[in-house]
Amino acid sequence: MMANGSIFFDLNLPNATTWFYFSALLAVALFFKFTRLLSIRNWDVFTLFLLMPGLLLLVEGGGTHYWGYLWLLIASGYYLFRCLFDLTLVRRPALAPNLNLAGLIWLAGALFVSLIAVAVRHPDEQPANESSDRRETAPVPIDPPMRRLGEKVIRDLQQTPSDVDDSSLQIWIERGLTVLCHLSIVVALVLIGWRHFEDLHAGMAAATFYLLLPYTYLLMPKTALGVGRWDHAWPMALMIWMVFLYRRPTLAGIFLGLATGTVFFPALAFPLWLSFYRRRGALRFGLAFALSTGLCLVILGGILWINGVLPPTLLSGWKPSAWLPWLQPDADTRGLWQGTPSHWAYRIPIFLAYVVLIGTTAFWPTPKNLGHVLALTAAVLIGIQFWYSDQGGVYILWYLPLLLLLVFRPNLSACQPQPPGDDWLGRWSHKLARLGLRCLRLFHPVRPRHPVSRALS
């Protein structure tokens, strides 16, 4: 009886190549507009899979394939051009997916369940063509302080008496955090489509496409690719909510500050967003960003110090080499810049061009709408791939949700920050000012209308 019943639970997840082909076929069936062959939407559906050949080469080479990293950077260069070209697209025709809203909700739920199945699957239970030696030879990336704190917490949990295997517990915790980050991104994509695009169908399409793309599967921790980490999806899980709350400068600054306090790269988008709120909440956005980042760094540094992750001097754990590996590449650095080109002099021109890009986004275009901010934020995050020496090109989850918003967004020229006095802070300030005037009138001595003339002497 057991033998007959087990056949219904004998599920074998596909490998990276099979996942790639089947997701591409399904994406064409769902989002390709066969009535408008020559359209940007159709081109975007194909090019969102442009990174997959490079990732497959990394799977084959155990994370050290030189041509795989070269392919990833070439594909990232195309995405950078696509984001800048998006600034010129004014007319955005409404192209609905080929599946209705109920079907997209069902498919997104099924894909999320499949993602959970990938998360709970132990790395030893892998297809035969993905040998374990690739996973063992995968490079160990340079860890930021937040990563070290997570590993310290996981080690403490492993010391507790339990029947669960230590390695399995670590994998489940890391993959569980990754799944929660993906869930946060999916919910935010749906809400952005509903509130800002005024099209719930488009938001659901972006969320379904996000779960359909094989990157969420390949970049799961401890997969055959060997470069996935849970904290790759964590910053975008915060930044995508900043996009949803763009009409609230204070809340947007808090979310960007939280992301910056955990990893460094969200801070590079701060000049862009500050110019977006120019004369429309820039001061509140900047103060909220600074306070949120400072509190996050202090709390995180204190926890690291207490747990013994950092040495007694707190600042020694925040060395530039720990945050910017391009200054001093580690011996385990893998990527296009490994070997002789790893010297910093080869990357200085690229980094200077990136600094010019950041400076340009702070002033151009003016004024900015939500469409400009989405495209430029994605361009800023994609540009990091070219000068970041350690595995540059594999950090796809840093900008993937923003690319999907560019694909499905309508014309957002009317989506701009609220003018001063129109937001909740302005309204409450006006109410408090009126209440203060009433209090002054209540306690102010009443003067007679006509002055009393003095008696003549």
Side-chain angles (χ1 to χ4, degrees):
M1 190 69 178
M2 293 295 295
N4 295 331
S6 63
I7 191 64
F8 296 98
F9 301 97
D10 188 15
L11 299 177
N12 293 318
L13 296 175
N15 58 13
T17 306
T18 307
W19 197 295
F20 165 45
Y21 288 123
F22 274 91
S23 60
L25 292 174
L26 187 57
V28 171
L30 290 175
F31 307 109
F32 192 87
K33 305 305 295 182
F34 296 93
T35 57
R36 300 188 56 169
L37 296 179
L38 300 179
S39 63
I40 297 295
R41 168 69 64 82
N42 291 346
W43 181 251
D44 288 336
V45 170
F46 284 117
T47 55
L48 281 175
F49 293 89
L50 193 59
L51 294 164
M52 274 306 300
L55 293 180
L56 293 178
L57 290 176
L58 292 184
V59 172
E60 183 182 17
T64 59
H65 202 292
Y66 179 83
W67 294 105
Y69 286 108
L70 179 61
W71 183 281
L72 290 177
L73 288 185
I74 293 175
S76 300
Y78 166 77
Y79 288 149
L80 179 61
F81 170 77
R82 171 65 179 86
C83 293
L84 298 178
F85 177 71
D86 193 81
L87 300 175
T88 64
L89 298 178
V90 179
R91 298 183 58 188
R92 304 295 295 251
L95 299 177
N98 300 329
L99 191 64
N100 60 12
L101 181 61
L104 288 177
I105 294 175
W106 170 262
L107 182 59
L111 291 173
F112 187 74
V113 172
S114 301
L115 187 64
I116 295 177
V118 175
V120 299
R121 176 196 188 196
H122 199 276
D124 294 337
E125 302 173 2
Q126 58 182 357
N129 59 339
E130 294 181 4
S131 57
S132 59
D133 58 341
R134 294 175 184 171
R135 192 173 61 256
E136 295 175 356
T137 58
V140 180
I142 300 176
D143 295 334
M146 182 181 177
R147 174 73 174 181
R148 297 199 296 271
L149 175 61
E151 292 180 349
K152 177 65 169 57
V153 174
I154 293 173
R155 287 195 299 269
D156 293 341
L157 290 174
Q158 292 174 356
Q159 294 175 0
T160 60
S162 177
D163 296 334
V164 182
D165 182 62
D166 292 345
S167 60
S168 300
L169 179 62
Q170 180 177 359
I171 294 172
W172 289 347
I173 292 176
E174 292 186 358
R175 291 186 172 182
L177 292 173
T178 306
V179 171
L180 290 178
C181 291
H182 288 318
L183 179 61
S184 175
I185 293 172
V186 167
V187 174
L189 289 175
V190 175
L191 293 178
I192 290 173
W194 172 46
R195 295 300 300 271
H196 303 319
F197 295 178
E198 298 181 355
D199 187 359
L200 181 59
H201 203 177
M204 199 67 226
T208 305
F209 208 168
Y210 179 79
L211 295 173
L212 180 62
L213 288 170
Y215 309 129
T216 55
Y217 154 69
L218 280 177
L219 296 176
M220 188 74 67
K222 308 298 183 181
T223 58
L225 185 58
V227 298
R229 289 160 51 181
W230 73 269
D231 53 335
H232 287 176
W234 163 259
M236 184 49 63
L238 296 173
M239 295 183 67
I240 198 67
W241 283 96
M242 173 189 66
V243 175
F244 174 68
L245 299 170
Y246 83 95
R247 293 186 182 274
R248 304 288 187 265
T250 304
L251 296 178
I254 290 174
F255 275 96
L256 184 60
L258 290 176
T260 304
T262 52
V263 291
F264 78 94
F265 73 87
L268 301 174
F270 174 73
L272 165 64
W273 281 81
L274 188 65
S275 65
F276 176 58
Y277 289 112
R278 181 183 179 186
R279 298 179 181 177
R280 296 193 176 192
L283 179 60
R284 280 174 286 146
F285 175 79
L287 290 177
F289 170 79
L291 291 176
S292 179
T293 303
L295 289 176
C296 188
L297 291 176
V298 170
I299 294 174
L300 181 60
I303 296 175
L304 290 170
W305 191 357
I306 293 174
N307 286 273
V309 180
L310 289 181
T313 303
L314 180 61
L315 296 178
S316 63
W318 302 90
K319 298 182 295 183
S321 60
W323 292 91
L324 298 176
W326 69 284
L327 292 174
Q328 191 176 0
D330 192 82
D332 295 327
T333 298
R334 296 292 184 269
L336 188 67
W337 301 106
Q338 63 186 358
T340 304
S342 64
H343 195 272
W344 59 267
Y346 291 91
R347 298 189 302 279
I348 283 295
I350 299 177
F351 182 74
L352 292 179
Y354 181 76
V355 172
V356 172
L357 173 64
I358 294 179
T360 304
T361 59
F363 302 99
W364 176 84
T366 302
K368 296 181 178 66
N369 56 48
L370 183 60
H372 297 152
V373 171
L374 289 176
L376 291 177
T377 303
V380 167
L381 301 181
I382 294 172
I384 303 175
Q385 314 290 320
F386 298 96
W387 55 265
Y388 195 79
S389 63
D390 187 46
Q391 301 173 354
V394 303
Y395 305 101
I396 304 167
L397 299 179
W398 286 4
Y399 56 85
L400 180 60
L402 298 177
L403 281 182
L404 291 172
L405 290 178
L406 291 183
V407 173
F408 292 97
R409 76 170 181 88
N411 189 349
L412 300 176
S413 58
C415 294
Q416 296 182 358
Q418 296 178 350
D422 257 2
D423 55 352
W424 65 272
L425 184 60
R427 290 192 296 267
W428 277 101
S429 299
H430 183 65
K431 291 180 180 180
L432 292 176
R434 293 180 60 183
L435 181 62
L437 289 176
R438 290 180 180 179
C439 293
L440 289 177
R441 291 175 183 175
L442 181 63
F443 294 101
H444 194 276
V446 179
R447 295 182 179 180
R449 292 185 177 181
H450 303 286
V452 179
S453 60
R454 294 183 179 180
L456 297 176
S457 59

